Structure formats: C-alpha cells, structure tokens
Amino acid sequence: ETLMAKGWFRRKKGKLVYFYYNANGDERSKVVGLDTMTDEEGWLEVGTLGLDKLVNQPDPAKVTFGEVLQHYLAYGKRNTGEDKAHSSKNTDGRNARLHLSHWSQHVAKDIEPLEIQGWIDGLSKGLRSKLRNMMSAVYRHGQKFRMIPRTEESNPMKWVSATTVSDYEAVSLSPEESFAILERISDPLVRVLVIVVAVTAIRIGEALGLMWSDIDWKKLKINIRRDWVDGELGRPKSRASKAPVEMHETLAALLQAWRQQTPYSKDSDFLFPSFKLHGKQPRIGSMIVQDYVRPAAVAAGVIPEDCPRFGFHNLRHGLSTFLIENG
C-alpha cells in the first residue's frame, strides 16, 4: 500500500514502467529503464528522475496558467527564499486579478510567445514590463515545482519582450516647491510627516510605520523596521530599506517638538497615529495625500488640478534630484 501511495511498477514489453496517480486521480506512467532492473534500482531511478514528485500533483501536460499563478501567489517568497513584503504580495495579487487572469484557462505550456507579445503590446507602457516580469516569474515557479515541464519550449517568456519606459514622468519638486506645499498644510502631524519624507526620502509606508523607539537620538539615526501598506504592518520592502537613515539635528529637534505635542509619545506609540483610532494604528497615506498634500500642491501652483499622479513619492524624487544636481 505504501508503494501504491507513491506509485508502483509494471514490467511491459521489455521495459520497467513506473505508474502513479495525478491530482485528478488519473493513472499516469513513465518508463524508468529495462525490465531487467530490480525494483530497488527502479526506485533509485524514480528518485533521480524526480518522478515521485509528480504523484498527486497536477498533470504538467494539462496544468493551466491559472493553477500555476495561484500556486505562485500562495508560495509568496522571493528568489532568495525570504517572504515577500506585504506590499509586494498585494501588488502581485492585484496584477493577477486585474491582468494575468486573462490567461487563467490556458494550458500553461501551450501558450505561444506571440500570443503573449500581442497581449502585452496592447497594455499601457507602465504595465508592460511589470506584467512580463511577473509572468516570467510564474513560469519559472511552475517549472521549479514541476507543475510545468522543465523544457525550454514549455516556457514562452524567453521570446517575449516589453518596454520598461512609461509615459508617466514623476513631478520632481524643488526645495522651494516643497516649502510652498508645506506652507499650505496646517495639520501639525501632516506637516511633520511631509518634512520627514522630503528630507529622508524614505517610503511613505516606512514613515507611517515608525514608532518612537525607532528613533536613535544619540546616533541621530532613524531605524526602518516596518512598513505600513494597505492597512497592514509588514517588513520593509527590501534589504536597502532596512538600513538606518541619517537624521539631521534640525529634523531631530522637529521630531522632539512633535513628541511634546502628540498625545501618543510612548516608545511603543506610532509617530503618525490615527487619532480617530486612539493611536492603535498609523494614519492612511492615501487619505493624507487626498485631503492635504494634493490640495496644497494645487493651491501652491506646483501641479495642475488634472495632474494624474501626485503624492509622497514626488517628495522623495524631489530630494534625490536636488542632491544629484548639487553633487
């Protein structure tokens, strides 16, 4: 019975044949060698060929792209084996739902490169390379887990190209424009948050995830330990993100003054808490942009009313551009 659970042998037409059941309960078979092999030698060969990994698995000849995609999303790890950041998992899920689901019913190994190329070319420029790269990662994942045959022709992505150039150009702010925006924001929490992002260039999610215990007043550094994205706390997005950020004395003084002012000043409190939720979680970045940052930028004449994308990322861009221009 244990042999049945992971497969069994039959000798047919001079060959030793390994039999097993796939995930649908269908019987499948593979030739292992000549029928002169002993069962023991047969099992060794089954292990070498990795055939035991096919038992109770979807049939690689029929597995759909949708099945591989779901397995990829559930796995949720980077190439290094580390768990993906919460924000990356959310992005993957959104791209899968809105775009890659287009291929869900297609047998993964049978999708033609030119079919994918035609589909990708019809997408907006900003999406093309992201979805091409994600689709490529899904195929590699499928082959790694033997859901798709590990042959070159079973992975069409090698022949699919995508532009990495988007039509979108981030509005880069000069220090003067950042000040003009700041002058039109009266909420003290938002003012401090805008300054922190503008002068440290940390991501908005990393700024909102900050607790007072993350500030090293002696070494004048800000430790990035978590990310607040889509209403959940997660790990920072990348290893580079986790590096401590230098804090100028002026910024330290500003944060000290804000700590005196905020009702949530304990080490375990968030720097930018939601007062409505009694400090239990940080404020929501998109709401701050909508209610304060964007209206202030329009009022300051920095962006027109119909500017498609504007937010904290522009403040980060502004700083890096300013520093590069000033050597």
Side-chain angles (χ1 to χ4, degrees):
E1 276 188 14
T2 52
L3 295 190
M4 285 290 282
K6 60 175 181 166
W8 65 98
F9 293 118
R10 284 188 200 141
R11 285 172 170 79
K12 293 172 76 174
K13 296 180 184 170
K15 301 275 194 293
L16 180 67
V17 186
Y18 173 66
F19 285 81
Y20 62 94
Y21 290 115
N22 70 9
N24 298 334
D26 303 322
E27 189 175 291
R28 291 283 177 263
S29 64
K30 298 269 184 189
V31 173
V32 176
L34 298 172
D35 65 357
T36 50
M37 288 174 83
T38 63
D39 279 14
E40 199 169 54
E41 288 168 332
W43 284 117
L44 278 172
E45 191 60 18
V46 164
T48 306
L49 296 171
L51 298 178
D52 49 339
K53 307 260 193 335
L54 301 176
V55 179
N56 295 328
Q57 292 300 313
D59 198 324
K62 295 199 182 110
V63 76
T64 64
F65 182 80
E67 288 170 308
V68 185
L69 178 59
Q70 287 313 312
H71 194 277
Y72 171 82
L73 293 172
Y75 184 66
K77 287 186 171 20
R78 289 156 62 175
N79 289 343
T80 54
E82 296 174 310
D83 275 342
K84 282 184 180 172
H86 168 69
S87 55
S88 302
K89 287 184 187 176
N90 277 3
T91 304
D92 283 351
R94 192 161 52 242
N95 285 337
R97 199 171 58 250
L98 297 177
H99 306 290
L100 297 188
S101 56
H102 172 83
W103 301 101
S104 283
Q105 301 309 312
H106 294 64
V107 172
K109 73 173 184 59
D110 294 343
I111 305 175
E112 284 291 322
L114 289 177
E115 286 180 88
I116 299 171
Q117 189 68 65
W119 175 72
I120 278 186
D121 290 346
L123 298 167
S124 68
K125 283 185 182 173
L127 273 175
R128 289 176 198 173
S129 68
K130 286 175 189 164
L131 294 182
R132 188 226 164 264
N133 292 346
M134 185 172 168
M135 227 174 152
S136 185
V138 172
Y139 268 99
R140 282 199 309 275
H141 176 87
Q143 290 186 309
K144 179 179 181 177
F145 286 90
R146 287 189 179 275
M147 296 177 79
I148 306 172
R150 288 179 181 169
T151 58
E152 202 172 350
E153 55 275 15
S154 297
N155 183 344
M157 298 314 294
K158 183 179 170 186
W159 294 278
V160 178
S161 56
T163 175
T164 53
V165 181
S166 160
D167 291 333
Y168 168 71
E169 258 187 70
V171 175
S172 240
L173 301 180
S174 66
E176 290 75 19
E177 288 171 323
S178 298
F179 276 116
I181 291 170
L182 202 57
E183 277 167 8
R184 286 162 178 82
I185 295 173
S186 54
D187 183 298
L189 179 150
V190 179
R191 281 176 68 86
V192 176
L193 176 62
V194 166
I195 293 168
V196 167
V197 172
V199 303
T200 63
I202 61 177
R203 290 186 177 90
I204 181 59
E206 292 160 359
L208 290 168
L210 287 174
M211 294 177 179
W212 288 110
S213 56
D214 300 328
I215 312 293
D216 188 331
W217 304 103
K218 284 193 182 128
K219 291 183 182 165
L220 290 177
K221 287 188 192 304
I222 299 172
N223 295 302
I224 309 295
R225 295 189 173 122
R226 65 200 75 74
D227 202 0
W228 171 251
V229 181
D230 298 333
E232 281 187 52
L233 285 172
R235 292 182 306 105
K237 197 161 180 180
S238 63
R239 195 164 288 165
S241 304
K242 292 179 193 168
V245 173
E246 300 290 332
M247 175 172 62
H248 191 276
E249 284 168 16
T250 313
L251 180 59
L254 179 85
L255 289 176
Q256 291 276 21
W258 170 235
R259 194 172 190 178
Q260 304 294 316
Q261 210 177 338
T262 173
Y264 302 101
S265 57
K266 295 200 302 291
D267 273 0
S268 58
D269 286 333
F270 291 107
L271 269 71
F272 307 108
S274 162
F275 294 158
K276 266 190 201 157
L277 297 172
H278 310 295
K280 288 191 173 63
Q281 66 181 47
R283 293 278 287 271
I284 302 288
S286 56
M287 302 286 282
I288 293 175
V289 170
Q290 195 180 310
D291 296 344
Y292 298 96
V293 179
R294 196 185 168 85
V298 172
V302 172
I303 57 165
E305 286 258 9
D306 60 354
C307 178
R309 284 163 58 184
F310 185 84
F312 282 101
H313 56 280
N314 301 91
L315 294 159
R316 294 179 71 211
H317 265 284
L319 175 73
S320 54
T321 307
F322 174 73
L323 292 174
I324 290 162
E325 283 172 359
N326 287 276

